[in-house]
Amino acid sequence: MAAAATLSNTDYEKLSKLKSDVATLNQISENEKSGFINLVARYLSGEAQHIEWSKIQTPTDEVVVPYDTLTPVPEDPAETKKLLDKLVVLKLNGGLGTTMGCTGPKSVIEVRNGLTFLDLIVIQIETLNAKYGCSVPLLLMNSFNTHDDTLKIVEKYANSNIDIHTFNQSQYPRLVVDDFSPLPSKGNAGKDAWYPPGHGDVFQSLMNSGKLDALVSQGKEYVFVANSDNLGAVVDLKILNHLINNKNEYCMEVTPKTLADVKGGTLISYEGKVQLLEIAQVPDEHVNEFKSIEKFKIFNTNNLWVNLQAIKRLVQGDALKMEIIPNPKEVDGVKVLQLETAAGAAIRFFDHAIGINVPRSRFLPVKATSDLLLVQSDLYTLSDGFVTRNPARANPANPSIELGPEFKKVASFLSRFKSIPSIIDLDILKVSGDVWFGSGITLKGKVTIAAKSGVKLEIPDGAVIADKEINGPEDI
C-alpha cells in the first residue's frame, strides 16, 4: 500500500471505503482483493510514468538482437532435450470469440482442416515431446469467462503425451465511476460486474495459483508466453538456447512494423533500460512520429520468454508495477472503469532483458475473419500443427483484406465461401454487400467486389478475377 501515502485526503477516503466494500465480496480470494486494491491505489496516486521524449533512444543490436545473429542450436538431440526440459509453454486463453460471433473461448474457433487454435497448440507440443523425448507442459491461463468451457475442452486431450494445466487469472470488480464503489456491491451478481485485468496479471496469477512453485520444483526455468490466437507463436529452440546461455531474465519478440501495425507498442532504450513504449504513453505532439515506420521500426508481438525464478522474486517483492491502462466501459447504462496492465510492460523490471527481432512468420494473429481467410487459404500449409507460409508467394507481405459486416461472424463468413479462394497472387481484396463465393475461385492483384444495395452477388465456381472492380454479374 505504499502508493496510498501519496494520496490526497479525498482519494484516501475513497480508497478506504472501497477497501471495506471489497472486503465483503466473497466471490474472490484475499489475494485478488489485495491485488485489486493495490492497483486502484496506484491508479489514484497518479503514478503514471511520464516519458521524456528527448531521452528516448533507439535500442542497439545488443538490446534488440537480430534473429539471424543467434547461435545455431546444438545438433545433438540429447542437448536439445536438455534445453526443452527447462521450458514451459503458457498460452493466454482468457479471450472470448465474441468479436467473431462465437460464444465460447476464442481458442476453440476452427482454424484449418477442422482443427482449432487449441488443437494446433497441442499437436505442436506433442510433436516436440515425441521427437526429443522431453516433457514440455502446456499451461492455459483462463479468465472466469473461459474457465468452465476450457476445462471441458481439455478433457479430449487426456490421452496426449502432454501435461496440461489450467489456472485462472484474477477476477476484479468493475468500478462504478460515480461513487467509486465496486459494481458487484450494487446488487449486480452477474458476470458483467467483474473483469479480468489484462494479461499483465499473468505473473501474479501464476504465482497465486501455486503453478509457479510446482514448475520450478520440476526443474523448469523459462516460460514462453503467447496469445492463443497467434498461430506463429511456436517454440523456438534458438531463442531458448540464447536466453539460457546469456542469462536473460526476459525476452520480448519484436518484428518489423508494417503500415498495419503502426499502433503496436515498440521497444526503446530509456535511462539505460529497455522498455515498452505504448501509443497511450506518447504525448499528442509525437503520435505521428510514433506511428512512422522510420523511427520506430519494430513492434511487440506479445511472444514473451521469462525466467520463472525472476518472476517469483519480482512478484514477492511487489516490484512489477506495470503502467496502468484505464479502460472505461458501460454496463446496463452504468459508467464503469476497469484498470488493466500488459505483460510486455514488465520488461523494464527484469535483469538483462532483451528484445529479439524475429521474422514476421512468428506473428500470425487471427483477430478477425479477414485473418481467418488468410490462414485457411493456399497461402499457408499445415503440418504437425505448424502453419507454414507457402514459398510460392513472392511478396513477403500478406495481402490486405477488408471484408464487410456480412462476413464479421465466423458462421456467416464460412457460409459465404463454398471454398476459400486461391490468394497466392493477391495484393488487396475489398468485399462489401451481399457477396457469395463459389468454389475454386482465384483472386489476383487488386480486387474490389461491391454488391449494390439489396442485390445478391454470386461469384461463380472457378472464376479467375485479376485487378478488377466488380459491382454486378456483368463485371465478372
Side-chain angles (χ1 to χ4, degrees):
M1 289 291 291
T6 55
L7 295 181
S8 69
N9 286 345
T10 350
D11 282 346
Y12 190 76
E13 281 166 24
K14 259 188 189 174
L15 192 66
S16 305
K17 183 181 174 305
L18 182 65
K19 206 175 170 181
S20 53
D21 286 345
V22 168
T24 63
L25 300 174
N26 53 11
Q27 300 94 320
I28 56 174
S29 69
E30 292 308 311
N31 276 334
E32 287 170 310
K33 290 175 188 179
S34 62
F36 174 66
I37 293 296
N38 209 336
L39 192 62
V40 176
R42 284 179 50 214
Y43 171 70
L44 287 174
S45 70
E47 57 155 53
Q49 197 212 7
H50 295 292
I51 296 272
E52 277 186 56
W53 201 251
S54 57
K55 287 187 181 174
I56 290 179
Q57 290 177 313
T58 304
T60 62
D61 283 358
E62 277 73 63
V63 179
V64 175
V65 182
Y67 183 81
D68 302 343
T69 65
L70 300 179
T71 343
V73 175
E75 283 181 17
D76 178 0
E79 288 300 308
T80 304
K81 177 184 183 316
K82 265 188 210 164
L83 284 178
L84 286 168
D85 280 336
K86 297 178 177 178
L87 182 69
V88 180
V89 174
L90 190 161
K91 296 287 176 168
L92 302 169
N93 191 48
L96 291 166
T98 38
T99 6
M100 295 166 78
C102 298
T103 48
K106 188 173 175 187
S107 56
V108 299
I109 292 176
E110 287 188 7
V111 186
R112 232 191 131 107
N113 307 10
L115 298 170
T116 65
F117 288 107
L118 210 47
D119 292 337
L120 295 178
I121 291 163
V122 169
I123 294 167
Q124 288 162 13
I125 300 178
E126 280 180 337
T127 306
L128 265 184
N129 285 346
K131 184 173 177 185
Y132 295 104
C134 53
S135 57
V136 175
L138 171 64
L139 270 71
L140 299 171
M141 181 169 86
N142 299 317
S143 63
F144 59 87
N145 288 316
T146 59
H147 174 74
D148 296 345
D149 285 339
T150 304
L151 285 189
K152 288 190 203 107
I153 293 154
V154 166
E155 284 173 8
K156 75 176 202 189
Y157 308 119
N159 301 326
S160 135
N161 66 356
I162 315 181
D163 236 0
I164 301 180
H165 304 263
T166 60
F167 67 100
N168 270 19
Q169 71 180 110
S170 304
Q171 174 173 337
Y172 286 173
R174 285 176 158 160
L175 268 177
V176 177
V177 174
D178 277 351
D179 61 359
F180 220 68
S181 63
L183 188 57
S185 310
K186 296 278 201 205
N188 182 332
K191 273 190 172 178
D192 45 6
W194 306 90
Y195 75 98
H199 47 61
D201 180 59
V202 60
F203 308 114
Q204 193 82 43
S205 295
L206 195 54
M207 182 84 182
N208 290 347
S209 66
K211 299 287 179 197
L212 192 136
D213 285 333
L215 293 163
V216 169
S217 70
Q218 294 164 21
K220 305 297 179 193
E221 291 178 24
Y222 278 88
V223 58
F224 172 43
V225 180
N227 296 353
S228 62
D229 65 4
N230 178 5
L231 295 172
V234 299
V235 170
D236 187 293
L237 289 165
K238 277 169 81 168
I239 295 178
L240 180 62
N241 187 39
H242 184 88
L243 302 180
I244 291 172
N245 289 339
N246 294 281
K247 300 190 169 40
N248 302 108
E249 288 187 349
Y250 187 110
C251 163
M252 174 187 288
E253 293 184 39
V254 292
T255 197
K257 236 190 221 187
T258 66
L259 289 171
D261 319 301
V262 291
K263 290 181 175 163
T266 190
L267 283 184
I268 56 171
S269 289
Y270 190 81
E271 298 185 328
K273 288 221 125 176
V274 59
Q275 71 181 61
L276 181 68
L277 176 65
E278 296 275 15
I279 194 160
Q281 296 163 278
V282 176
D284 292 347
E285 65 272 23
H286 294 291
V287 167
N288 284 343
E289 194 180 342
F290 176 82
K291 286 181 172 179
S292 89
I293 300 183
E294 276 64 56
K295 178 165 182 176
F296 299 104
K297 296 186 168 67
I298 51 173
F299 76 99
N300 171 20
T301 62
N302 219 36
N303 298 348
L304 310 170
W305 301 73
V306 196
N307 180 283
L308 293 167
Q309 296 279 12
I311 294 175
K312 183 171 179 169
R313 179 187 82 233
L314 293 168
V315 170
Q316 283 179 333
D318 192 24
L320 292 174
K321 300 197 185 305
M322 283 91 89
E323 287 73 20
I324 295 173
I325 307 155
N327 188 352
K329 300 255 179 187
E330 207 168 282
V331 178
D332 300 330
V334 180
K335 286 191 165 49
V336 294
L337 183 63
Q338 47 191 57
L339 303 175
E340 302 171 10
T341 60
I347 189 166
R348 61 195 176 92
F349 302 106
F350 288 84
D351 293 338
H352 311 298
I354 57 167
I356 292 182
N357 193 349
V358 298
R360 182 76 190 198
S361 58
R362 294 192 55 74
F363 184 66
L364 184 58
V366 179
K367 299 290 182 203
T369 49
S370 51
D371 301 321
L372 212 46
L373 175 59
L374 289 174
V375 298
Q376 292 188 345
S377 74
D378 55 353
L379 207 51
Y380 290 93
T381 51
L382 182 67
S383 73
D384 294 340
F386 296 92
V387 177
T388 317
R389 203 156 178 276
N390 188 335
R393 178 166 173 90
N395 184 343
N398 276 343
S400 144
I401 295 179
E402 272 178 50
L403 302 175
E406 296 78 3
F407 292 82
K408 188 177 178 188
K409 297 187 167 175
V410 176
S412 34
F413 163 82
L414 293 172
S415 69
R416 287 175 177 272
F417 288 97
K418 262 200 214 165
S419 72
I420 299 292
S422 162
I423 58 171
I424 299 256
D425 299 314
L426 178 70
D427 297 318
I428 296 173
L429 172 65
K430 287 183 181 171
V431 181
S432 56
D434 189 12
V435 180
W436 299 77
F437 290 82
S439 59
I441 291 167
T442 304
L443 304 173
K444 300 179 174 191
K446 294 179 182 168
V447 176
T448 304
I449 303 172
K452 296 183 185 76
S453 177
V455 177
K456 179 176 181 179
L457 177 54
E458 299 188 33
I459 310 294
D461 296 353
V464 175
I465 301 172
D467 293 309
K468 261 188 171 172
E469 180 165 338
I470 290 175
N471 300 110
E474 64 285 354
D475 300 327
I476 297 167

